Structures are given as C-alpha cells and as structure tokens.
Amino acid sequence: MHLDHTDKRIIRIVQGDLPEGRNPFFLWAKDAGMTEHAFIQGLHRLMQKGVIRGFKAIIRHRLGGIKANAMVVWKVDEDKIEQTGEKISRWAAVTHCYERPFWGGNCIFSMIHAKDRPGVEAIIQEISGSLGDMDYKVFWSERELKKTSMSFL
C-alpha cells in the first residue's frame, strides 16, 4: 500500500500524545501544516484503507490516584464462560476482562483497579459474591510499567 507524504505526516503526528485542549485535532492539523478539515479527512482515508484502526487512550492510572491493581483469574466452567465474563465486565473498576486457557481449563482474567489494596479486595469480594462458589487467584501489580505510544514511521 502506498502512503504519500501527507499520509506519513498525519501518521507521525497521531503516534504521539493527543494535545490537551478543547480542540486537539485542530492542534494536530496545525502541527501538520493543514486545515483541521483536511487533517480529519486524511485520518478517515487512512482508517478506510486500514492503516489506522482507531485511537486508544493510555491511562496513567497512578497519576489519577489509582494506586492498587490486581489481575484476578476466575476458574469458570466451560458452559458459563460467556455469562461470567459479561457479569464481571459490568463492574466499573474492571478494565480488562477476557478468556484465556489457564489453571487446567478456560479462565476469565479481569484487571481490577482501586485507590488502595483494601478497595481492590472489597471489589473482588463483591464480584465473588455475585458469582457464587467460584475459585479465583489474585495477582497483585507490583509496579507500573513504562507506557508509551507506538511509533511506526
């Protein structure tokens, strides 16, 4: 797939952090030497080509006061995987919820965040109580890893 100079300029800019302010796309367009309309049209074109799939936020949760995190692995019967995953994912404190083989079968992995460790433990107990008698393991996050935007060009 051919990317022209404008495409490459747009891609280089959107690989970085979204500018702060009321109109971040205008600021990106200004950095690219384009009008906001042309910049957004370029983004749409790149998305239609499949070059850009979407935009994602990288949350620096510790800066936001979220100091405790745990990955909880729930051992789930095969016939209840879908239902259990949907139930767990309804909690606002759950940011990741997915199925993976583990612990001798399929499990639901859920990442839970709270301001402190007792807060995470309370959420785990709430979820556990709603699921009934289900085994689970808790893996506490010890440190936050470096978070950066991906860079391709």
Side-chain angles (χ1 to χ4, degrees):
M1 172 180 310
H2 174 72
L3 297 175
D4 65 21
H5 178 70
T6 301
D7 293 337
K8 290 178 183 178
R9 193 169 11 150
I10 292 169
I11 292 167
R12 278 190 198 100
I13 288 172
V14 300
Q15 291 177 131
D17 291 340
L18 189 67
E20 290 184 35
R22 291 181 156 241
N23 201 340
F25 290 97
F26 171 80
L27 296 173
W28 267 348
K30 185 177 172 186
D31 287 348
M34 304 170 70
T35 66
E36 182 179 17
H37 180 73
F39 187 84
I40 290 173
Q41 281 185 319
L43 285 174
H44 283 292
R45 186 179 64 255
L46 289 166
M47 290 178 84
Q48 287 174 339
K49 288 181 179 180
V51 175
I52 295 175
R53 289 185 292 179
F55 294 92
K56 309 292 186 244
I58 298 173
I59 307 293
R60 291 179 176 89
H61 55 275
R62 291 188 190 264
L63 291 176
I66 306 297
K67 306 286 186 197
N69 313 286
M71 178 65 74
V72 182
V73 181
W74 308 88
K75 190 172 189 177
V76 183
D77 292 337
E78 185 68 35
D79 62 332
K80 294 182 181 173
I81 287 280
E82 194 80 22
Q83 168 191 353
T84 304
E86 286 178 17
K87 200 169 194 178
I88 293 170
S89 69
R90 289 186 193 131
W91 262 264
V94 175
T95 57
H96 300 71
C97 187
Y98 51 88
E99 175 188 0
R100 288 274 191 278
F102 185 75
W103 206 354
N106 285 340
C107 293
I108 298 289
F109 284 65
S110 60
M111 181 59 103
I112 299 173
H113 304 277
K115 290 187 183 262
D116 54 27
R117 199 171 175 125
V120 172
E121 290 168 344
I123 294 163
I124 293 169
Q125 290 306 310
E126 285 178 28
I127 294 172
S128 178
S130 77
L131 297 177
D133 188 27
M134 189 173 293
D135 288 335
Y136 63 89
K137 292 183 180 184
V138 179
F139 300 92
W140 291 96
S141 298
E142 298 298 325
R143 63 184 174 24
E144 185 173 22
L145 300 175
K146 180 179 175 184
K147 295 181 180 181
T148 59
S149 297
M150 298 181 82
S151 181
F152 298 100
L153 293 177

